[in-house]
């Protein structure tokens, strides 16, 4: 029996998470399948922004660092986020960007290894990791070498299956993104971390496509370090500060290199000498963008109304439905699925390669369906169980089919590339 629109509507009718969609401002006539890149706007954000700008900044002025709790916001938001990634209060701060946090934690991990196992000179990652992760590692390696340290090597796997082969005793840090941004492939964090530890390597996880998308348990996995975005599945707003997590066993052992005053034990003593803060606060650097940071709570508040177990169940139902519908409706249109069909191995997105993926995505956007495009040839459809409806999966597939069948994607305007794809 082929799937029908009525089947999809029936799934919406019995979806216990359906009311959460009303927490978001979503424009009419748009099917938003890009919450993996920029989360939708929580309705509460407008009121909160008004409060921060009019009262806290406008009226409170400098007093708000104390009276509005601005100074403690990175730790407070970290505590609110912690349960989504299997962290405890006091283990997470929301601060800086994912790229910068990755630099800080990779440097801390390498310093730790330098002290206990200086012969370990390899960082293992994936060739298809999000490029900024690889760029930051290369920048750090160059920096260390410029200061006279022996060279590090970045060992890149072509596929996560190569992990056992790549993890030799020369590896200092295993630096992986938990859910791959291109394919949506999810690595078994506990298994990979255990393997890394067997070889004396530390694990550093990028949770950009995991936090708020799939259940994560950093402590159960015995992971060492983690970073992630708040503007993707956590709906913190464009460029909202990222988070970082350090396992309690490592927090006080080594500093991170961006030792700004917010990481000092007593920042307002204004001492010329640096003395690191104990605990997770030593991973801060300097003054935070308070207006952007304040928006992060609006996204996290919505997660407090549900659980990652419920979200995961709906996420898998959405991605499974989409794969089935594309197979049913769009067979024969040169779409190649690159996302694992095994639910245990995928995040909350589905990706297809199409020879003209860029133009097809532009044609979809022109019809009100918003996925995104990533080189090479990848059409990425993100499913956010907080607000995506099953009915939308049906309509998105029908519009995709129409575009492929009619060839309407093949117009000059759909081949034109803007700065952001
Ligand atoms: C989105 C993403 C980033 C983004 O880093 P920024 O510093 O916020 O630009 C980093 N890593 C991965 C894996 C991502 O998916």
């Amino acid at each position: 029996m082929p799937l029908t629109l009525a089947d999809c509507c029936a799934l919406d009718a019995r979806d216990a998470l359906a009311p959460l969609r009303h927490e978001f401002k979503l424009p009419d006539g748009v099917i938003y399948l890009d919450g993996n890149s920029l989360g939708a706007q929580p309705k509460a954000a407008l009121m909160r922004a008004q409060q921060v700008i009019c009262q806290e900044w406008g009226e409170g002025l400098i007093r708000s660092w104390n009276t509005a709790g601005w100074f403690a916001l990175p730790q407070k938001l970290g505590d609110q986020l912690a349960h989504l990634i299997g962290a405890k209060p006091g283990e997470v701060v929301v601060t800086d960007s994912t790229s910068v946090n990755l630099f800080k934690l990779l440097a801390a991990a390498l310093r730790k290894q330098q002290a206990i196992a200086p012969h370990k000179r390899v960082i293992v990652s994936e060739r298809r990791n999000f490029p900024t992760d690889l760029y930051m590692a290369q920048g750090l390696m160059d920096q260390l070498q410029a200061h006279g340290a022996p060279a590090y090597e970045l060992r890149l796997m072509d596929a996560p299956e190569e992990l056992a082969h790549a993890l030799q005793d020369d590896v200092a840090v295993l630096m992986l993104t938990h859910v791959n941004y291109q394919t949506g492939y999810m690595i078994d964090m506990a298994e990979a971390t255990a393997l890394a530890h067997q070889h004396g390597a530390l694990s550093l996880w990028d949770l950009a496509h995991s936090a708020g998308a799939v259940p994560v348990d950093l402590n159960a996995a015995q992971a060492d370090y983690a970073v992630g975005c708040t503007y993707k599945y956590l709906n913190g707003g464009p460029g909202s500060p990222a988070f970082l997590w350090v396992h309690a066993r490592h927090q006080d052992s080594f500093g991170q290199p961006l030792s700004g005053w917010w990481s000092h034990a007593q920042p307002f003593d204004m001492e010329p000498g640096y003395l690191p803060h104990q605990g997770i606060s030593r991973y801060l650097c300097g003054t935070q963008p308070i207006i952007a940071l304040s928006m992060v709570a609006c996204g996290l508040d919505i997660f407090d109304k549900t659980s990652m177990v419920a979200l995961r169940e709906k996420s898998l139902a959405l991605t499974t439905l989409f794969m089935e519908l594309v197979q049913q409706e769009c067979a024969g249109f040169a779409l190649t699925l690159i996302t694992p069909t095994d639910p245990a191995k995928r995040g909350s997105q589905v990706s297809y390669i199409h020879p003209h993926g860029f133009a097809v995505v532009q044609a979809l956007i022109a019809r009100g369906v918003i996925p995104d495009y990533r080189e090479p040839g990848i059409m990425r459809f993100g499913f956010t169980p907080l607000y995506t409806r099953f009915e939308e999966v049906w309509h998105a597939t029908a519009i995709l089919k129409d575009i492929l069948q009619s060839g309407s994607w093949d117009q000059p305007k759909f081949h034109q590339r803007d700065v952001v794809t």
Side-chain angles (χ1 to χ4, degrees), residues 4 44 115 135 174 243 379 392:
T4 64
Y135 301 161
L174 173 63
F243 65 86
M379 308 197 300
E392 292 180 303

Side-chain angles (χ1 to χ4, degrees), residues 356-374 379 403 408-409 411-418 420-421:
H356 299 284
F358 179 80
V360 175
V361 166
Q362 305 322 302
L364 281 165
I365 294 171
R367 298 274 300 270
V369 178
I370 307 185
D372 68 15
Y373 174 78
R374 287 289 176 266
M379 308 197 300
I403 286 168
S408 68
W409 55 266
Q411 301 175 45
K413 62 179 176 181
F414 294 143
H415 291 283
Q416 225 145 47
R417 299 210 178 198
D418 223 324
V420 176
T421 61

Side-chain angles (χ1 to χ4, degrees), residues 97-99 130 132-133 177 206 208-209 229 231-232:
S97 68
T98 301
S99 303
F130 193 90
T132 201
D133 297 40
T177 296
D206 189 330
H209 294 275
C229 298
Y231 55 77
K232 291 173 179 166

Side-chain angles (χ1 to χ4, degrees), residues 75-147:
Q75 294 88 345
K76 184 180 172 209
L77 292 169
D79 286 350
Q80 192 183 354
L81 189 153
H83 72 103
L84 295 174
I85 54 172
K88 296 187 208 114
E91 293 181 347
V92 183
V93 279
V94 178
T95 186
D96 298 332
S97 68
T98 301
S99 303
V100 169
N101 287 337
L102 198 81
F103 184 89
K104 292 188 283 191
L105 296 192
L106 183 58
L110 290 179
R111 254 184 91 175
K112 180 153 191 141
Q113 290 288 36
Q114 175 71 32
I116 56 176
H119 63 283
K120 290 179 174 290
R121 310 303 300 180
V122 175
I123 300 162
V124 167
S125 195
E126 264 197 279
R127 197 172 303 283
R128 296 176 90 167
N129 198 346
F130 193 90
T132 201
D133 297 40
L134 304 179
Y135 301 161
M136 294 310 285
Q138 288 166 33
L140 176 60
M141 288 159 58
D142 287 351
Q143 185 69 12
L144 293 170
Q145 207 177 338
H147 289 281

Side-chain angles (χ1 to χ4, degrees), residues 98-281:
T98 301
S99 303
V100 169
N101 287 337
L102 198 81
F103 184 89
K104 292 188 283 191
L105 296 192
L106 183 58
L110 290 179
R111 254 184 91 175
K112 180 153 191 141
Q113 290 288 36
Q114 175 71 32
I116 56 176
H119 63 283
K120 290 179 174 290
R121 310 303 300 180
V122 175
I123 300 162
V124 167
S125 195
E126 264 197 279
R127 197 172 303 283
R128 296 176 90 167
N129 198 346
F130 193 90
T132 201
D133 297 40
L134 304 179
Y135 301 161
M136 294 310 285
Q138 288 166 33
L140 176 60
M141 288 159 58
D142 287 351
Q143 185 69 12
L144 293 170
Q145 207 177 338
H147 289 281
Y152 281 97
E153 176 201 336
L154 184 58
R155 184 178 292 157
L156 297 179
M157 303 182 286
D158 288 319
E161 290 81 9
E162 294 172 14
L163 191 60
H165 181 70
L167 273 173
Q168 304 298 323
D169 290 336
D170 55 1
V171 177
V173 178
L174 173 63
M175 181 187 83
L176 290 177
T177 296
H178 181 225
V179 175
N180 185 280
Y181 81 106
Q182 291 186 349
T183 61
Y185 185 105
M186 182 166 71
I187 295 174
D188 186 325
M189 182 186 287
E191 200 178 284
T193 300
L195 203 58
H197 288 173
Q198 272 171 33
H199 292 276
L202 294 165
S203 64
L204 166 51
W205 293 92
D206 189 330
L207 304 178
H209 294 275
S210 310
V214 298
V216 175
D217 200 335
L218 289 164
N219 276 305
Q222 286 290 308
D224 299 289
Y225 303 91
V227 298
C229 298
T230 64
Y231 55 77
K232 291 173 179 166
Y233 290 94
L234 297 178
N235 311 303
S240 58
F243 65 86
L244 69 79
W245 170 85
V246 178
H247 193 284
R249 68 178 175 267
H250 300 310
Q251 279 180 8
D252 296 330
S253 53
F254 284 92
Q256 49 94 2
L258 306 184
S259 45
W261 69 313
W262 279 50
S263 72
H264 193 279
Q266 301 288 348
F268 285 92
D269 283 1
M270 300 293 179
E271 284 291 326
Y274 181 71
L275 181 69
H277 206 293
Q278 296 296 298
I280 197 67
S281 297

